[in-house]
Amino acid sequence: ILSGLGEWKKASDIYARFFIPEFIAKFPDLPFHQMLAVNYGNSLIQLGQSTKAIAVFSSITSAPNKPDTYFVNLSLAYLHEHRPELAERTARSGIALFPDDKDILGNLTIALIHQQKFDEALHFATQRLELSREVHSLEELAAIHRSIADDGADRNLPLAVRHLKIALNLLFEAKDQNPRYSTARLTLGRTLFDLKRYTDAANELVDMLNNTSPHQSIKELAIAKIAECFDRRGEFKECLEFCDEYLKVFPDNLSLKRVRSQTLVDGYVIGNVQEGIRVVERSSLEFFEKIVQDPSLRTTSDLCYLARLYEWMGRIDDAIELLEEATELNADFWEPPYNLGVIHWRQNNFDEALPTLRRASELAPWRRQPWFVLSKIYEHLGHAEELNSARSRIESLDRDVELLYKHD
């Protein structure tokens, strides 16, 4: 009863009085012992004590016949411990015995996602959806389609968009079933954002915040994404006002600080000159200079933003060094070679610019930016054939990308 009411500490204290691990391990197949171990372990998971829960579950490991809840809760404990490979192994053992258990299938799917085994995850999530088409299974399958899209967005945009649109339909169905389920609503907003429907994404997230009771972490994620919607629409003033307003409420929100700094750099710094002096805004510069020093918090884009700032400030060597570090950090990301190529282009160093920009175009063949700069270089060098090819590529990209993101 206490567990059902969410009184996990009280339930755990009661289970602990009866739990004698040595005795239970001697008779692990007794139903009472299995019930005690499974329920005690689950209460510990809910209290954030997954390591202790795993030890509790080990008391009945030798039982020849274990209940489905053993595999559910043990795999969940391993997920909480960030050990997806063990969660996968446990869940697979459970599915072999209970092939239609949607909770085991759910944990197996999550474990596979964490290991980026997306094809297998898609298979099991689809199987779970066939057993029960409810909000959790819909959200879970949508998450896999989003992961596949994110994994291949730069290399194969048509495939990525196709998976995003599948995820969108699943999430709309989840919303229809339970409009107060905040995590699915958050993912719906993110999916609309990824499909470049920024106004729809912002409206969805605002509605979610107003009509559900999300956990603070969900609320902060939604607010940061709304700020990104302002930024992507080029509404820089509104974005800054929004960020400043919510940073008073969530002063430690790193995502809001990042969006605010990016907006300042893109909208008010680079390209802006006052009385013959290039504008540099202190708070955005300080943010990126601080964040790149922390490997646990920085992103590759943070390094690229700081490099762009340094180039704007005339610190060319520092900018190049940052971009080389960014390339080492994420060799498959197109932005570091693109930004490096742009610097070499502006320095009239075409021998260095051309290979790095071509590399960027290979890493992200659906991005027009590398082709645009390449066209400028070809035009300057008088390479007519390459120039025509680059311009043709830009035209086809503009046309094809617009069609890809068009609403069905």
Side-chain angles (χ1 to χ4, degrees):
I1 294 176
L2 290 171
S3 298
L5 294 172
E7 296 284 353
W8 300 109
K9 181 64 171 65
K10 294 179 181 178
S12 175
D13 290 342
I14 294 173
Y15 290 133
R17 297 173 191 170
F18 296 95
F19 185 77
I20 305 172
E22 298 83 3
F23 183 69
I24 290 177
K26 285 184 179 180
F27 306 98
D29 51 345
L30 291 178
F32 175 74
H33 287 178
Q34 293 188 355
M35 179 276 295
L36 179 60
V38 167
N39 290 340
Y40 183 30
N42 182 47
S43 67
L44 291 170
I45 294 172
Q46 303 303 323
L47 293 170
Q49 301 178 42
S50 50
T51 301
K52 187 175 180 180
I54 292 170
V56 168
F57 294 132
S58 69
S59 65
I60 60 171
T61 298
S62 62
N65 298 303
K66 293 180 280 291
D68 56 347
T69 47
Y70 166 85
F71 299 100
V72 172
N73 292 332
L74 179 56
S75 59
L76 180 62
Y78 282 132
L79 287 173
H80 279 266
E81 288 285 292
H82 305 290
R83 301 171 73 180
E85 69 288 343
L86 292 179
E88 177 191 352
R89 185 186 308 171
T90 301
R92 285 187 183 276
S93 297
I95 286 300
L97 298 171
F98 306 98
D100 294 335
D101 190 296
K102 60 184 180 64
D103 294 324
I104 302 177
L105 282 168
N107 288 349
L108 176 55
T109 300
I110 295 169
L112 291 167
I113 291 173
H114 283 311
Q115 298 174 82
Q116 296 187 316
K117 299 178 179 179
F118 298 129
D119 289 341
E120 289 183 88
L122 189 62
H123 167 75
F124 288 110
T126 303
Q127 183 178 336
R128 185 188 183 203
L129 189 65
E130 291 172 352
L131 291 170
S132 176
R133 199 172 187 91
E134 40 82 34
V135 289
H136 298 288
S137 56
L138 289 164
E139 181 188 24
E140 200 168 78
L141 184 55
I144 298 168
H145 284 289
R146 283 179 49 78
S147 296
I148 295 172
D150 184 63
D151 187 56
D154 287 330
R155 297 187 309 274
N156 191 340
L157 185 62
L159 180 64
V161 171
R162 188 155 61 248
H163 279 284
L164 285 173
K165 289 183 176 180
I166 294 172
L168 188 68
N169 290 332
L170 291 166
L171 292 164
F172 273 128
E173 184 178 346
K175 178 183 175 180
D176 287 341
Q177 284 195 21
N178 186 356
R180 297 186 59 80
Y181 187 50
S182 58
T183 61
R185 296 286 302 273
L186 173 66
T187 309
L188 174 56
R190 286 175 157 179
T191 305
L192 288 165
F193 179 92
D194 292 341
L195 287 168
K196 301 187 183 299
R197 295 171 57 176
Y198 303 124
T199 299
D200 291 338
N203 291 340
E204 172 62 30
L205 293 170
V206 169
D207 186 72
M208 182 272 284
L209 291 171
N210 290 336
N211 292 290
T212 70
S213 301
H215 186 273
Q216 179 173 318
S217 61
I218 300 297
K219 184 182 295 185
E220 290 194 49
L221 288 169
I223 288 169
K225 187 58 68 174
I226 293 169
E228 285 189 71
C229 292
F230 283 118
D231 179 71
R232 292 298 181 90
R233 291 192 306 231
E235 298 172 357
F236 299 131
K237 180 175 179 291
E238 293 81 358
C239 183
L240 290 179
E241 291 173 350
F242 184 87
C243 290
D244 288 341
E245 176 186 354
Y246 280 98
L247 280 170
K248 296 174 184 176
V249 183
F250 307 112
D252 298 323
N253 189 300
L254 181 62
S255 297
L256 269 179
K257 293 179 180 179
R258 179 176 283 119
V259 176
R260 182 182 186 277
S261 298
Q262 291 173 348
T263 296
L264 284 165
V265 171
D266 292 331
Y268 297 97
V269 177
I270 295 178
N272 287 276
V273 179
Q274 294 181 3
E275 298 179 358
I277 299 175
R278 293 187 172 193
V279 171
V280 178
E281 193 276 330
R282 180 179 297 276
S283 69
S284 56
L285 176 62
E286 290 178 347
F287 171 82
F288 287 116
E289 285 187 327
K290 182 178 180 180
I291 199 72
V292 300
Q293 299 303 318
D294 190 335
S296 67
L297 297 178
R298 71 184 182 184
T299 67
T300 310
S301 288
D302 291 333
L303 291 162
C304 290
Y305 263 92
L306 185 57
R308 291 174 57 210
L309 277 171
Y310 280 168
E311 184 204 3
W312 178 245
M313 297 164 63
R315 297 171 58 177
I316 304 301
D317 291 341
D318 291 334
I320 291 174
E321 183 179 344
L322 279 169
L323 291 171
E324 289 174 346
E325 183 180 354
T327 300
E328 293 179 4
L329 183 65
N330 191 347
D332 295 328
F333 189 35
W334 71 279
E335 284 191 20
Y338 167 71
N339 285 295
L340 188 58
V342 168
I343 291 177
H344 288 309
W345 166 52
R346 291 188 178 127
Q347 297 295 310
N348 292 320
N349 186 2
F350 302 128
D351 289 340
E352 294 288 341
L354 284 171
T356 53
L357 288 165
R358 287 171 181 152
R359 174 60 178 162
S361 70
E362 292 168 358
L363 290 171
W366 289 85
R367 300 276 183 176
R368 81 186 306 273
Q369 294 96 317
W371 290 102
F372 176 78
V373 181
L374 283 168
S375 71
K376 294 298 182 183
I377 296 175
Y378 293 142
E379 185 176 19
H380 178 84
L381 296 175
H383 294 177
E385 184 175 347
E386 289 89 345
L387 174 60
N388 290 333
S389 177
R391 285 177 172 172
S392 176
R393 179 61 178 163
I394 292 169
E395 290 176 3
S396 64
L397 279 175
D398 290 343
R399 180 182 62 252
D400 294 343
V401 170
E402 183 180 358
L403 288 173
L404 278 175
Y405 284 106
K406 187 176 181 181
H407 296 190
D408 292 334

